[in-house]
Amino acid sequence: MRRAADSVLAINPATKVVMMGDFNDDATDASIVETLGAAGNIRKIEPGVHYNPYIDVLKAGYGTLAYQDAWNLFDNIVVSENLATGSQGELKLQKAPGARFYGNIFRTPYMIQKEGQYKGYPLRTFVGNNFQGGYSDHFPVYIYIGK
């Protein structure tokens, strides 16, 4: 993913890149920070370094999936430096209205397990072979981009 982003930016440095998905690692893991080159401090982002707003979200104790009562944040949205720090009038990353972070987790009551072993976790579609009628074992993530 890093190679693809770097090659696109080498051809056109003005391209704004968004990389997203279930990375199967937390936002602070070496695979994200070092290999992908995604830093967590938007004020210190330099050209060639990508920004991951979910580093701050994870450090604040939030997550998108739970395992053995510990929260992880495997679902990330990483953006190129020019999208994180764009100038006035350009598309750039913004905080959602009233949000504390640039990265957001969509977590609404109907998506949360109400009882049982997984109470408070995302409401899964299946637990083993048993259909639960839920959504996913991860909460979705989103960002705001605007001018």
Side-chain angles (χ1 to χ4, degrees), residues 7-71:
S7 67
V8 168
L9 289 165
I11 294 167
N12 183 354
T15 302
K16 300 192 185 284
V17 178
V18 177
M19 299 169 269
M20 58 191 284
D22 176 352
F23 290 10
N24 248 14
D25 279 323
D26 279 319
T28 54
D29 287 344
S31 61
I32 311 292
V33 176
E34 295 169 20
T35 306
L36 189 56
N41 187 335
I42 197 165
R43 290 184 268 300
K44 293 184 179 179
I45 298 296
E46 299 174 9
V49 176
H50 302 297
Y51 173 61
N52 185 349
Y54 290 94
I55 290 173
D56 287 338
V57 176
L58 179 64
K59 287 180 177 179
Y62 299 99
T64 56
L65 71 146
Y67 178 70
Q68 296 181 348
D69 294 330
W71 285 94

Side-chain angles (χ1 to χ4, degrees), residues 54 63-64 75 77 104-108 111 122 135-136 138-142:
Y54 290 94
T64 56
D75 306 280
I77 302 175
N104 305 280
I105 299 171
F106 187 73
R107 180 186 164 120
T108 190
M111 297 172 72
Y135 303 93
S136 175
H138 296 224
F139 291 123
V141 294
Y142 64 99

Side-chain angles (χ1 to χ4, degrees), residues 66-144:
Y67 178 70
Q68 296 181 348
D69 294 330
W71 285 94
N72 293 97
L73 211 159
F74 289 177
D75 306 280
N76 291 262
I77 302 175
V78 176
V79 300
S80 55
E81 172 269 335
N82 62 356
L83 185 54
T85 62
S87 59
Q88 183 102 10
E90 288 185 354
L91 281 178
K92 71 181 260 186
L93 188 64
Q94 299 181 1
K95 288 184 180 176
R100 188 170 151 203
F101 305 106
Y102 286 98
N104 305 280
I105 299 171
F106 187 73
R107 180 186 164 120
T108 190
Y110 70 82
M111 297 172 72
I112 300 170
Q113 180 71 37
K114 306 281 190 273
E115 56 195 28
Q117 176 183 357
Y118 299 111
K119 183 178 180 181
Y121 287 23
L123 181 59
R124 298 165 167 249
T125 307
F126 283 91
V127 174
N129 291 326
N130 298 321
F131 181 71
Q132 302 295 304
Y135 303 93
S136 175
D137 60 337
H138 296 224
F139 291 123
V141 294
Y142 64 99
I143 58 173
Y144 269 65

